Amino acid sequence: INCDDPNADAYLDAALALTPMAEDNCYLTVELYSDETTDPYTSCISYLGYSDIFKQRFRTWKATDACGNSAFYSQTISYQDDTAPAISCPNGGATIDTVVDAGACTTVVSLEASATDCQAVSFTYVLKNLATGSIAGPFAGSDATQAFTTGSYCVEFTAMDPCGNSSSCQTFINV
C-alpha cells in the first residue's frame, strides 16, 4: 500500500480486516494467533492519521479442527511511501530572461521551488554558472532568490521526503 494512493487508508483497513479461509473434513475454527508490528521505515512520518503507518504487520493465523489438528498461516501487510515528491520549478521550469538595470552590476531573480507529497519535503539546490562551469552548493531550502551578474545560469532544485524518495527540476536564467 502506498501512501500517495488516494484510497490508501481504505486499503489498509481492508488488509487489517482480512481473515484467511481454511478447509477441513471436520468442524474448523480460525483465530488470530499473533499480531506483531515492526518499524522498518523509522524515518517516515504519517499524515494520514494511522499510528502504525510505514510499518509492517506480521500476523499468524491458526486453524484448528475438532480433533485438535492445527495449521498456521502467515500474513504480512506493508505500508510505505515509495513515490517521489512532485516538484515544480520557478517559472514552470521555463528559462528566465532578464536584464541588469543601467548603472547596476546585478539583478535579483526570484527563484522558489515547491513540491507536493504525502509527507513533509526538504529541499536543496545547486547553482551552476554555464559559462565557467563552476557549481555552488548544495544549499538547503527551496528559495534560491539572489542577485545575478551578466551571464547564463542553471539552478537545480531537489525535493526529498523522509523515506528518501526524491525528484529534481531545473530553471535556467539568462541575464
Side-chain angles (χ1 to χ4, degrees), residues 11-133:
Y11 294 151
L12 182 59
D13 287 341
L16 292 173
L18 291 174
T19 302
M21 297 179 68
E23 293 181 14
D24 191 72
N25 294 332
C26 303
Y27 174 77
L28 189 66
T29 62
V30 176
E31 65 179 317
L32 182 60
Y33 185 74
S34 69
D35 190 357
E36 297 176 24
T37 301
T38 63
D39 193 0
Y41 315 105
T42 55
S43 65
C44 298
I45 303 164
S46 167
Y47 288 102
L48 296 178
Y50 287 102
S51 60
D52 61 353
I53 228 83
F54 307 117
K55 296 184 180 184
Q56 290 182 321
R57 296 283 290 269
F58 296 100
R59 294 174 149 191
T60 303
W61 297 87
K62 181 181 179 181
T64 306
D65 67 14
C67 298
N69 300 310
S70 296
F72 293 89
Y73 172 77
S74 296
Q75 174 190 34
T76 302
I77 303 168
S78 297
Y79 197 103
Q80 62 187 2
D81 176 9
D82 60 7
T83 302
I87 190 170
S88 298
C89 257
N91 202 36
T95 299
I96 298 171
D97 292 308
T98 188
V99 295
V100 175
D101 291 333
C105 297
T106 62
T107 187
V108 174
V109 179
S110 178
L111 298 165
E112 187 162 6
S114 62
T116 57
D117 194 69
C118 65
Q119 302 184 70
V121 175
S122 62
F123 287 90
T124 58
Y125 66 90
V126 294
L127 174 63
K128 182 174 185 179
N129 182 318
L130 298 177
T132 64

Side-chain angles (χ1 to χ4, degrees), residues 100 149 167:
V100 175
T149 59
S167 57

